[in-house]
Every structure is written in C-alpha cells, then in structure tokens.
Amino acid sequence: MDEGWDKIIKEHREHPLKPKLPEIIADEHTMTVIIFSTKGKFEKKKIVIDLNKRQKKAIEYLKKHRKISNKEYRSLIPRISDKTVYRDLRDLVKKNLVQAKGKKKGRYYVFKE
C-alpha cells in the first residue's frame, strides 16, 4: 500500500504544473483523500482597477496615441487644475498601468511594459 501513495506523491512533486499535494484526512473509521485540480492555473483572472472618468479618457487616448503628456491630458478634460492632472497621472503610475518617461516639462506617460 505504501508504494501506491509514494507513487502518487512522487508524480505530484515531479509534475510540471506543480499541483497541490493531495490532502489525506483519516480517523479510526474512514479515510478521505482530496485531490486538487490544476484548472486554476489556466484560468485568466480578471483584475478590476477603479479609474475615474478622466483617467478612463487618458487610457483611451493612450491606446490611440501610445503616449500622453500633462498638456495632452489637460486638453482632454476642460477646466482641470494642474494638481488634478498631477494626481490623476500619478495614480495611474501607482496602479501600475502607466510609467512616466522624461523629466519635468518633458515628462510623458506610456503603458507599463
């Protein structure tokens, strides 16, 4: 009997998908073996990132033009303050959606690589 369990454990450890090892729960009358699937390794996970309307416009602009500057962002949204531009773009960087390139007035943003 030990040879069968040893083989199962060995196969799990050597499997390229690295499935979770079976869980064995036993008492004096019963034994339960739980075998875990590797299905989760192939499912795409949906990540939800909250963006405001202005940031969504910036993302659409980036999809089309591949980069966006503070000035371009400001032109998308009428009557936006410099502080709001800075906060919105900094938040996109913080959320790992975009990265800043350049310095000060020459700074622009592109999608995160």
Side-chain angles (χ1 to χ4, degrees):
M1 186 165 160
D2 283 353
E3 291 175 16
W5 286 114
D6 289 342
K7 183 175 180 178
I8 290 170
I9 300 301
K10 180 179 181 250
E11 290 292 326
H12 270 73
R13 287 194 173 129
E14 293 175 0
H15 196 280
L17 293 177
K18 304 296 181 207
K20 186 174 175 182
L21 288 174
E23 192 173 305
I24 302 167
I25 304 167
D27 62 27
E28 57 189 65
H29 301 292
T30 61
M31 180 172 76
T32 304
V33 178
I34 301 169
I35 299 176
F36 300 95
S37 172
T38 58
K39 180 181 174 186
K41 293 187 181 235
F42 299 102
E43 293 176 346
K44 291 184 179 180
K45 297 187 185 203
K46 187 175 183 178
I47 299 171
V48 177
I49 300 173
D50 289 326
L51 301 177
N52 63 42
K53 288 179 184 180
R54 298 181 306 269
Q55 290 171 321
K56 288 176 184 176
K57 280 186 177 183
I59 295 298
E60 289 304 314
Y61 186 92
L62 271 166
K63 285 179 183 176
K64 191 173 183 180
H65 299 94
R66 306 190 64 95
K67 71 178 187 173
I68 188 168
S69 66
N70 288 8
K71 184 177 179 181
E72 291 163 332
Y73 185 69
R74 195 175 297 108
S75 72
L76 293 175
I77 299 105
R79 298 182 298 270
I80 187 173
S81 72
D82 289 344
K83 283 186 179 183
T84 301
V85 168
Y86 176 73
R87 275 193 306 262
D88 281 355
L89 292 171
R90 185 181 64 193
D91 187 50
L92 291 174
V93 171
K94 187 176 169 184
K95 290 177 178 174
N96 282 322
L97 294 174
V98 301
Q99 63 186 39
K101 301 270 189 172
K103 296 185 187 231
K104 297 193 180 190
K105 291 193 181 239
R107 179 166 288 164
Y108 62 95
Y109 299 84
V110 296
F111 281 115
K112 185 87 175 187
E113 293 174 3

